[in-house]
Amino acid sequence: LAGATGWFERVMNRIPQALAAALLAGVLARFAFDAFLQLGAEFALVAPMVLAYLLGRRAWPRYAVPGVLALGMAIAWGQGRLHLGSVPWGWAQPVFTMPGFSVAALVGVALPLFVVTMASQNLPGVAAQRAAGYDTPVSPVITATGLATLVLAPFGGYALNLAAITAAICMGREAHEDPARRWLASVMAGVFYVAVGLAGGAVVALIGAFPRALVLAVAGLALLGTIGTALAAAMKADAEREAALITFVVTASGLTLWGVGAAFWGVVAGVLALVVQRWRPVR
């Protein structure tokens, strides 16, 4: 309904481009913070990964992150910290769960999750598209993800949305130099997601077999390019720079109020700052 009625797209169309870019940068910044924080606790593992990233960005930009992952795995293996023997290699089996409906579940579970998904995932997802220069129609996509969720929810697929992290990676320069060809990255991401779903138990156990610092470092380093591009777009216009900065800071802070995440409050704070700056008394 949010997509079919067009109300969500109307809300997104009112958010300035600078605030959308700042929102994306703030959402992704926490991953970069977590990556470099690991230097304090896991210097021997993370420092070579950071160095490999810097060298990789210079020599082979498109393959820098896979190189960082391979190096991190090699170091962890040498330290005896990869426990692949406990990974259950096998296919996942979909299990149907009959939905149950009640007013209590609607008010206490469904409505809060809807608000969180729209504010913390779909809103940054649209912001990621616009920060990358794509003017994708919002309503058809929101409608499609809603219908897909309706069909797949009984099998556990109850949170389909415009995931900002995957979107940011697929729309970066590393995906393709030509922006008109980056859709191939989204197609391949879909293929890999299907593979991950089919081997869901093994994938979860495989990630659990990696040191936590390795996972955080790879995720943060993979998003540095997108964060830089988003910040550049957010700070470009002088008239909107302070509001964009406030949006970025609030979003990156991880603030949560009344169960709603920082992405929503970042936009609220940025819009409020713009309103105050542009308000003029009626004469």
Side-chain angles (χ1 to χ4, degrees), residues 63-210:
Y63 304 103
V65 175
V68 169
L69 175 60
L71 177 63
M73 291 179 63
I75 295 175
W77 181 275
Q79 295 176 342
R81 300 175 62 188
L82 279 185
H83 308 290
L84 302 181
S86 60
V87 176
W89 303 103
W91 300 114
Q93 299 293 326
V95 178
F96 178 81
T97 303
M98 179 61 69
F101 298 93
S102 69
V103 175
L106 178 65
V107 175
V109 179
L111 186 59
L113 284 180
F114 169 77
V115 173
V116 168
T117 300
M118 298 300 287
S120 302
Q121 293 295 331
N122 285 332
L123 195 152
V126 175
Q129 296 176 6
R130 296 184 174 177
Y134 296 99
D135 190 18
T136 307
V138 177
S139 293
V141 179
I142 297 297
T143 304
T145 56
L147 291 174
T149 297
L150 190 64
V151 173
L152 297 177
F155 298 96
Y158 53 83
L160 275 70
N161 54 68
L162 303 182
I165 311 302
T166 307
I169 293 174
C170 289
M171 291 184 293
R173 290 186 60 186
E174 293 82 0
H176 203 287
E177 288 295 330
D178 182 4
R181 300 287 295 169
R182 292 175 188 169
W183 60 270
L184 288 170
S186 297
V187 174
M188 292 311 300
V191 171
F192 285 119
Y193 269 130
V194 170
V196 167
L198 292 173
V203 171
V204 172
L206 184 63
I207 294 176
F210 290 169

Side-chain angles (χ1 to χ4, degrees), residues 40-62:
E42 297 277 2
F43 186 85
L45 173 63
V46 179
M49 296 173 66
V50 174
L51 182 60
Y53 173 81
L54 296 175
L55 295 175
R57 290 289 295 171
R58 180 181 177 88
W60 55 91
R62 182 172 294 180

Side-chain angles (χ1 to χ4, degrees), residues 209-222:
F210 290 169
R212 181 173 180 269
L214 187 156
V215 177
L216 292 176
V218 171
L221 293 173

